[in-house]
Amino acid sequence: MSTRAVIKHMYWTVQPDEEPDARIRTYAQECDLCGEGSPRTADPTPTIDWVLRHAGAHPSHRSYTEIIKRGWRAVMDSPGVRS
């Protein structure tokens, strides 16, 4: 026997999490040639320093990817309200 339920249709919004309990935004850099990466930090400056040191040690490594992690939150909109 199966049970069925009807749940009312709701609209959801996804947005960056700016709540006080949100995860701290973090930054890292990764070398596109060898895959080596910087430590993840809350301040992007040390990751840029890492790129400069890595490029200095490996002059042919000139392409990097910045990796930013930040929290996102799904929020249920009030009934009848659409953004």
Side-chain angles (χ1 to χ4, degrees):
M1 175 196 265
S2 65
T3 303
R4 297 184 71 180
V6 175
I7 300 172
K8 69 178 176 177
H9 187 320
M10 296 295 295
Y11 291 102
W12 289 81
T13 302
V14 178
Q15 61 195 30
D17 190 350
E18 304 294 342
E19 296 294 323
D21 65 342
R23 296 181 79 179
I24 295 172
R25 187 174 299 164
T26 60
Y27 303 86
Q29 296 279 351
E30 184 175 272
C31 177
D32 292 339
L33 190 63
C34 72
E36 189 175 336
S38 72
R40 184 167 295 288
T41 65
D43 176 11
T45 304
T47 69
I48 295 167
D49 295 340
W50 177 88
V51 167
L52 295 173
R53 285 191 310 278
H54 188 78
H58 309 279
S60 64
H61 297 203
R62 298 181 183 180
S63 181
Y64 298 84
T65 298
E66 181 180 39
I67 302 163
I68 302 171
K69 284 182 109 175
R70 70 175 181 185
W72 284 74
R73 185 174 294 271
V75 179
M76 191 176 355
D77 292 340
S78 298
V81 175
R82 252 330 269 234
S83 300

